[in-house]
Each structure stands twice: as structure tokens, then as C-alpha cells.
Amino acid sequence: MTESTESRRKRMHIRAWRRGTKEMDLILGRYADAHLAAMDSAALEAFDALLAQDDHDLYQWVTGQVAAPDEFAPLIERLVARPVNG
């Protein structure tokens, strides 16, 4: 059975807010709150792949300590460029 888009968004929202580190919960969770509902299938695919990455690596990419791999660089740039208050 294929996962519906709505189920996928719900799963990804939970995954974004329950990372394992509070910093990444806040960064990815707030981004998901603000953007997940409007993502098309390509954006969902990219965000889902990003959510599968290790928090330590993600944090280094987001903070600029380490360059993000090419496949994630555009999404990391959007995460950093669109801080969400809250």
C-alpha cells in the first residue's frame, strides 16, 4: 500500500519535531510547521531525505560548520534563509 500525501506530511511533521536533539527539533520542526503543507512532491521527497540524515551532520550543515552535500545544499540554504520565529 502506498502512503498518501497527507499521511506522509503527518509522518514528516512528527519526524521533524522529534529528532533527538532540541536544536534540530526547533530548526526542522519550525520549518515543517511553516512550509510542509505547501510542499509539492519534489519538495516532500527532498525534505523526507533530509529528515533521514543524522542530527549531528544536519546541525553542522545548518550552522555552516561543514558544507552540506550537493544533494542537500539547496534545502539547507532554504532552511537557513527562512528562519521562523516562534
Side-chain angles (χ1 to χ4, degrees):
M1 181 178 228
T2 304
E3 183 178 33
S4 72
T5 302
E6 187 59 30
S7 293
R8 185 178 194 189
R9 281 190 173 107
K10 287 178 183 178
R11 175 183 52 78
M12 291 168 65
H13 186 263
I14 291 168
R15 183 67 182 119
W17 274 108
R18 296 197 174 112
R19 297 296 308 166
T21 65
K22 191 63 171 174
E23 295 84 359
M24 291 315 301
D25 288 352
L26 294 171
I27 293 166
L28 293 173
R30 288 178 178 170
Y31 186 84
D33 285 351
H35 303 288
L36 194 58
M39 288 183 190
D40 63 16
S41 66
L44 287 171
E45 198 68 36
F47 192 57
D48 207 7
L50 187 75
L51 291 173
Q53 303 307 302
D54 179 73
D55 276 2
H56 180 73
D57 294 335
L58 285 169
Y59 188 75
Q60 288 186 325
W61 301 340
V62 168
T63 60
Q65 296 174 36
V66 174
D70 291 342
E71 67 182 292
F72 297 118
L75 181 52
I76 295 296
E77 287 175 18
R78 287 191 299 276
L79 278 166
V80 172
R82 296 185 196 169
V84 180
N85 296 325

